[in-house]
Amino acid sequence: MSFAAGLFYVMAALAVVTALGMVLNLRNTVAGAMCLVVTMISLAVIYVVLDAHFVAVLQIMVYAGAILVLFLFVVMLLNLRSDAFTPSRATAPKVVGAAVGVAVLAAFLAKLPDALPKVAEIPADFGSYRQVGLALYRDYVVPFEVASFLLLAAVVGAVVLAKRRLS
Amino acid sequence: MVTSTSLVNPSVLAPFGVVATGSLVVLLLEVLVGKRQSFLGRPVTREFVGTLLSGVSSIFLFIALIVAAQFFATMPGRIVFDPAHPMVAMDRLTAFATILVCIGSIFTCWLASTYLDELRIHHGEFYALLLLASSGMVLLVQSVDLVTLFMGIELMSIPIYALAGFARRDLRSNESALKYFLVGSFTSAILLYGMALLYGATGSTDFVQIRQAFDASNLLAIAGLGLLVVGFAFKVAAVPFHQWAPDVYEGAPTAVTSYMAVAVKVSAFVALLRIAIQAFGPMDARLSDLFWVLSAASIVVGNVMAVIQENVKRMLAYSSIANAGYILIGLAVGTEEAYAAVLFFLLVYLFMNVGAFAVVITLATGGKDRDRYEDYAGLSRTRPTLAALLTLFVVAQAGLPGTGGFIAKFILFSAALKQGFVWLPVIAILGSAVSFYYYLRLPVLMYTRDPEGAAPRMETSTGEGLVLCTCAVAVLLLGLFPAAGPGFLSHFRALEWVRETVALLG
């Protein structure tokens, strides 16, 4: 097994374990968020293994950086005590939910391998700065520019709802 | 470096650009004017700033409307932003939908001005958010790519979350905003998941390429299509994805409710229509079955639940669910004639629904809505004109002959019957029969009972008057004019535009 393959398996296992750690960590939200950071970073390492360096950098900057910091801000701002969200006692919804989840997963696992299209060979420079730049500023320039209005809308909306006094 | 710059058509984005620029101008204008003592020789008060911004917003929307109408009148076919990566397109269907969206937004501007003063929440941000949402709708109806479609939906939804909670001191408005936000985020996730699956199955986000690569035996593609339809069903509040609608419609300021009930629905339905025609046409049988079930359920649940409501805004919410059911008939039938009937229905629905909400808005006074049924008792004595107009609008929604509502339902149901769909029109006609009860309850209250409780607002502002007049004239004209000749659909020419859209798929 090559070094890259070994790194992939280690990081993939770490990503799965920490993702479970986030979902199952009901009592301590901060610990859950920290588990998510590790998931994001292991995914970034997998991107490096795949030679998509720019995507890896973005993964760390956007997810591990910005989004996780936002999560932690919200967690600390709300200052929830662990008993504020006691897991519900009712078992019926849990059992039904788990059954539906498992059924869907089984259906997907049974049929998915055939349903997946045969992927064409990925170009060598996939995920490079050049390719990402071309995709963003040439192919998808309209949605990219619209995103700025989307952010403006979110900012104005947040100010309208949250500012103490509107003049 | 090879670029395709010479082939790009930025003019396709003109209506979107005008509306989006308007939102920036409104934001700046509020800051610049709000700080001054007087502007254009008038003292700067909150009411003055509000009226000014309302006017400026409607001017921008009107320019966008003119641009869209220009496209509509001179359009030789269909132009896209960049032939290599279409993203957004402009054709008759888009231009028509853009005109509807602009009319709906202009009405909202005119209605909001006095209404927000009455509720004492007149802030300039309202118009900026309104224009941003409208620009999202314009983008949504001209999207021919899943990425722009998603951006359009988000740009439409995010400002409306804030608008729903615009009455910040009102708990019901807070509840409305939170519910709409949570359901909306959930919807976005479902839509996005569906889009990801479709991309995985077909290898493209472009509608035309999706259609070429779409394989109905592929589980991934079918799951993606299903999730996409569920996402849209949430947005148009079709049963069983409707539970949020009554609470959100009731709690939001009424000007926002009418905007949600009309503009959001029109743009979401036109986008769905384009997806059905362009990405999955000719109609996939399973897609048709899906629309059939959504349609029948919406008609039954919407009409039955509307009967037991005690609040006029909630009643109108359920009636808009039922209307979504009627529109879905056209999508289930899936012929060009049915699509044309859907477009005509949307046109009529715009006027009769805004009209009904405009009356509720015009009655609001003392910082409160008058939205319980008792508030309408004896309205024919206190506000006879408003009582008559409200009667016209509810009678049109019930589908009485002589109004646009009748013609809209008639051509929709006959398109379904022609295609061999019998049960859907039967369910719809029974549903309309039920709807007579809750619609006509308002005229009965207004004309047979004595006024009780606090007096309603006695004066109508210019903006409200304009909206009420336009809606009333449109509802009557669209109902009476078709009677002049039998071949009405060829007058309306919607059939022709839909044919054009279908013909231009390649």
Side-chain angles (χ1 to χ4, degrees):
Chain A
M1 191 160 51
S2 68
F3 173 69
L7 197 59
F8 170 79
Y9 283 116
V10 171
M11 284 302 150
L14 188 62
V16 172
V17 170
T18 48
L20 283 175
M22 186 206 73
V23 177
L24 298 177
N25 223 324
L26 296 174
R27 300 266 167 214
N28 191 339
T29 3
V30 176
M34 294 326 276
C35 278
L36 191 57
V37 179
V38 181
T39 314
M40 296 302 178
I41 293 176
S42 18
L43 287 182
V45 176
I46 292 179
Y47 290 140
V48 174
V49 174
L50 293 173
D51 277 337
H53 301 122
F54 187 57
V55 180
V57 172
L58 285 185
Q59 170 80 9
I60 299 226
M61 275 175 18
V62 175
Y63 283 97
I67 291 185
L68 250 300
V69 169
L70 185 71
F71 279 11
L72 287 176
F73 257 116
V74 172
V75 168
M76 290 172 183
L77 202 67
L78 293 179
N79 195 18
L80 289 175
R81 298 219 317 265
S82 58
D83 56 353
F85 281 109
T86 41
S88 85
R89 292 271 168 78
T91 48
K94 281 187 195 169
V95 173
V96 174
V100 171
V102 170
V104 171
L105 184 68
F108 258 72
L109 286 183
K111 295 206 176 172
L112 202 58
D114 307 327
L116 280 177
K118 300 288 164 282
V119 180
E121 193 64 30
I122 291 175
D125 58 349
F126 178 80
S128 66
Y129 300 88
R130 190 184 143 77
Q131 286 304 320
V132 173
L134 282 179
L136 266 188
Y137 296 109
R138 195 184 63 191
D139 303 354
Y140 291 92
V141 65
V142 175
F144 178 78
E145 293 298 336
V146 170
S148 56
F149 280 102
L150 193 58
L151 290 175
L152 176 72
V155 170
V156 176
V159 168
V160 162
L161 290 183
K163 198 181 168 198
R164 187 154 300 178
R165 217 164 54 83
L166 288 172
S167 61
Chain B
M1 184 70 228
V2 183
T3 58
S4 49
T5 320
S6 56
L7 297 171
V8 168
N9 295 307
S11 66
V12 172
L13 284 169
F16 169 82
V18 170
V19 180
T21 312
S23 72
L24 301 179
V25 171
V26 165
L27 269 181
L28 281 178
L29 202 62
E30 193 212 2
V31 177
L32 294 180
V33 176
K35 278 188 180 155
R36 298 174 55 155
Q37 293 294 317
S38 68
F39 185 74
L40 299 174
R42 296 270 206 82
V44 172
T45 60
R46 175 168 293 178
E47 285 75 20
F48 172 71
V49 176
T51 316
L52 177 74
L53 294 182
S54 161
V56 171
S57 313
S58 43
I59 288 172
F60 274 97
L61 286 164
F62 196 70
I63 296 172
L65 193 154
I66 298 288
V67 173
Q70 189 69 26
F71 272 116
F72 188 80
T74 59
M75 181 69 63
R78 172 160 169 265
I79 49 173
V80 295
F81 178 70
D82 175 357
H85 306 278
M87 293 297 150
V88 287
M90 179 56 86
D91 52 23
R92 282 242 166 89
L93 180 66
T94 295
F96 176 69
T98 307
I99 293 172
L100 288 192
V101 166
C102 289
I103 294 175
S105 309
I106 292 173
F107 282 167
T108 310
C109 283
W110 290 350
L111 288 174
S113 181
T114 318
Y115 178 73
L116 295 181
D117 278 339
E118 285 291 334
L119 261 61
R120 297 177 196 91
I121 47 170
H122 210 170
H123 308 298
E125 288 86 355
F126 183 92
Y127 300 103
L129 288 170
L130 187 75
L131 286 173
L132 281 168
S134 304
S135 70
M137 290 169 187
V138 173
L139 191 72
L140 178 59
V141 297
Q142 59 177 184
S143 298
V144 289
D145 189 289
L146 291 179
V147 181
T148 26
L149 183 80
F150 186 73
M151 295 307 282
I153 287 184
E154 288 302 293
L155 187 53
M156 167 180 89
S157 305
I158 287 181
I160 299 183
Y161 302 148
L163 287 178
F166 208 76
R168 298 193 305 172
R169 286 175 208 287
D170 183 356
L171 274 180
R172 290 191 312 169
S173 180
N174 299 160
E175 181 200 348
S176 163
L178 190 65
K179 272 196 177 147
Y180 197 40
F181 173 64
L182 291 177
V183 174
S185 319
F186 196 60
T187 311
S188 300
I190 291 176
L191 267 174
L192 209 49
Y193 194 27
M195 289 175 184
L197 291 184
L198 273 177
Y199 177 63
T202 61
S204 176
T205 54
D206 181 69
F207 287 179
V208 175
Q209 288 180 31
I210 286 178
R211 178 157 141 274
Q212 283 158 0
F214 189 77
D215 172 12
S217 64
N218 186 334
L219 178 75
L220 217 54
I222 289 294
L225 174 58
L227 288 172
L228 199 66
V229 172
V230 168
F232 271 99
F234 265 116
K235 281 286 168 219
V236 300
V239 177
F241 308 104
H242 68 289
Q243 282 98 338
W244 57 273
D247 291 348
V248 171
Y249 282 22
E250 184 192 358
T254 314
V256 180
T257 310
S258 92
Y259 186 61
M260 282 196 282
V262 171
V264 172
K265 251 182 205 185
V266 168
S267 46
F269 266 119
V270 171
L272 196 56
L273 196 69
R274 185 184 287 285
I275 294 174
I277 298 174
Q278 209 165 338
F280 301 104
M283 182 62 76
D284 187 73
R286 271 179 278 192
L287 192 57
S288 173
D289 291 347
L290 202 55
F291 285 138
W292 199 104
V293 173
L294 286 173
S295 164
S298 305
I299 293 169
V300 172
V301 174
N303 280 314
V304 170
M305 293 299 289
V307 169
I308 57 171
Q309 300 307 318
E310 284 305 317
N311 179 299
V312 175
K313 274 163 87 177
R314 282 185 86 85
M315 182 273 279
L316 286 171
Y318 278 107
S319 100
S320 87
I321 292 172
N323 276 314
Y326 301 140
I327 298 169
L328 282 165
I329 294 179
L331 291 173
V333 173
T335 57
E336 287 169 5
E337 198 184 344
Y339 291 145
V342 165
L343 293 181
F344 184 72
F345 195 102
L346 288 173
L347 177 71
V348 176
Y349 173 77
L350 171 85
F351 290 111
M352 58 191 189
N353 217 9
V354 169
F357 278 112
V359 175
V360 180
I361 288 172
T362 310
L363 291 174
T365 183
K368 277 216 287 291
D369 273 332
R370 294 171 56 87
D371 55 1
R372 289 169 307 137
Y373 270 104
E374 304 90 82
D375 294 334
Y376 292 81
L379 199 68
S380 63
R381 317 262 168 81
T382 43
R383 301 292 309 268
T385 323
L386 279 184
L389 285 172
L390 185 57
T391 308
L392 170 67
F393 295 130
V394 292
V395 159
Q397 294 215 28
L400 227 59
T403 62
F406 172 74
I407 304 289
K409 281 184 184 169
F410 179 77
I411 58 177
L412 192 57
F413 298 166
S414 54
L417 284 172
K418 209 178 269 180
Q419 202 56 26
F421 285 77
V422 177
W423 282 107
L424 271 186
V426 169
I427 296 172
I429 289 167
L430 290 177
S432 302
V434 172
S435 76
F436 272 92
Y437 171 76
Y438 60 81
Y439 282 132
L440 296 186
R441 216 175 132 190
L442 278 172
V444 168
L445 270 175
M446 290 189 296
Y447 283 97
T448 60
R449 293 258 298 274
D450 288 328
E452 54 187 66
R457 178 145 59 90
M458 290 314 287
E459 66 281 350
T460 311
S461 72
T462 321
E464 289 162 349
L466 271 174
V467 174
L468 287 167
C469 286
T470 321
C471 289
V473 169
V475 167
L476 284 176
L477 271 186
L478 290 170
L480 296 176
F481 169 65
F488 170 63
L489 260 186
S490 55
H491 280 287
F492 178 55
R493 304 201 16 197
L495 197 56
E496 210 174 294
W497 320 325
V498 175
R499 286 222 177 94
E500 266 178 38
T501 313
V502 179
L504 287 161
L505 284 175

